[in-house]
Amino acid sequence: MKNPYATWLSEIMLQQTRVATVIDRYSEFLQKFPTLRALANADEADVLALWSGLGYYRRARMLHRGAQFVVRELRGKLPHTAAELRTLPGVGAYTAAAIASIAFGQSVAVLDGNVERVLLRLLGRDEENSAHARASLMATAQRLLPPVAEKPGGNPPGDHNQAMMELGAMVCLPRSPLCLQCPVVAFCKTRGEHVTPQRTPQQIRLVAHLLAVRKRGVTTEVLLERRSSTASLMPGMMELPPLPLEAIAGREPVLRLRHAITNTNYNVQIFSESARGVQPTIHEEQNTAIAPTEGREPPALSTEDDLLDDDEVFVADPNEVTVVARLLDELPAEAEREWVAAGLLQHLPLTGLARKALQRLGVMAVPKVQIG
Ligand code: SF4
């Protein structure tokens, strides 16, 4: 059996987020909050800061509230059954089944998107968005599950659930499944992609943000804006101040990038403004990552068709950017903003987009990847 708190954390982090993105953040999170009690006692802002870049921040808030609930109401002990786990904030059927089977050995099936795809293909069924189809798949998943371990040490239901999730994530891929490597190919009725309903088309939006920096003694500070606590997306998180699109007409951004949230692709442009005599700080070691590509023309401005791929970021040389008029004056007056020392940025609950832009521009350090 696995540590229930760590299992809960990993299942929440892995919702809507790739394993490669989660690995480092998971370790950092467990280092900072090694126990459920440590998480319960933390400030929400510290929890959100560690979640920054993973997106879907409601998950972090619910996890934090869940930990507080367990400490306050359940004497710090996570419930052992899926039915009880579902009473925790932010824990749905899937997460409850995953924790109950992996951490406590309960024989209850998980049905996430990956497992659903594997089962549909094994059964030779098309995807169908109906409660009846889902209930039928859930019943099949439950029938396939081995019973609870008779002897201590093993965990057949937890192992089975993890194997099904892994099969969907690594072999039975949404596009071009690796059927020749599949351990259940002999039982599979599809052996390839299955029929799926048409997805909602992605929307494209152009947004602009301001990177404003200033020097205070030897400290470089960045202007950040706090999103409203009632915003539907990322309430209370900090971001680079959004600019009205009228303010950017005729200006050249220092950075263009693409950022996707749910079914919207954002075509993002970052404009730079410095206090007089101060240019954005560019870390020496990151210059290669953000220098403009030699001989490459900057893409044309601002049409919806100009959406760039993530790895096709164009960054202008900040020293060549001419500030035509004070962009700071174009910011709406009512928002809550503050100047923050660049060295403190990594401890703040930044939106994923703000983190990405600040790292690409070299204002914020990129975490070192640990291998092994
Ligand atoms: Fe998926 Fe192919 Fe395996 Fe069937 S044989 S479960 S389609 S990987």
Side-chain angles (χ1 to χ4, degrees), residues 117-119 121-122 167 171-173 177-194:
R117 184 170 61 250
V118 173
L119 289 176
R121 288 173 177 174
L122 283 171
L167 184 60
V171 179
C172 194
L173 305 169
L178 310 174
C179 299
L180 292 177
Q181 299 171 29
C182 179
V184 293
V185 64
F187 316 111
C188 183
K189 291 194 174 157
T190 307
R191 297 184 190 173
E193 293 174 23
H194 64 304

Side-chain angles (χ1 to χ4, degrees), residues 161-178:
N161 277 339
Q162 288 185 89
M164 287 295 282
M165 292 190 267
E166 196 77 358
L167 184 60
M170 307 298 291
V171 179
C172 194
L173 305 169
R175 300 270 165 268
S176 308
L178 310 174

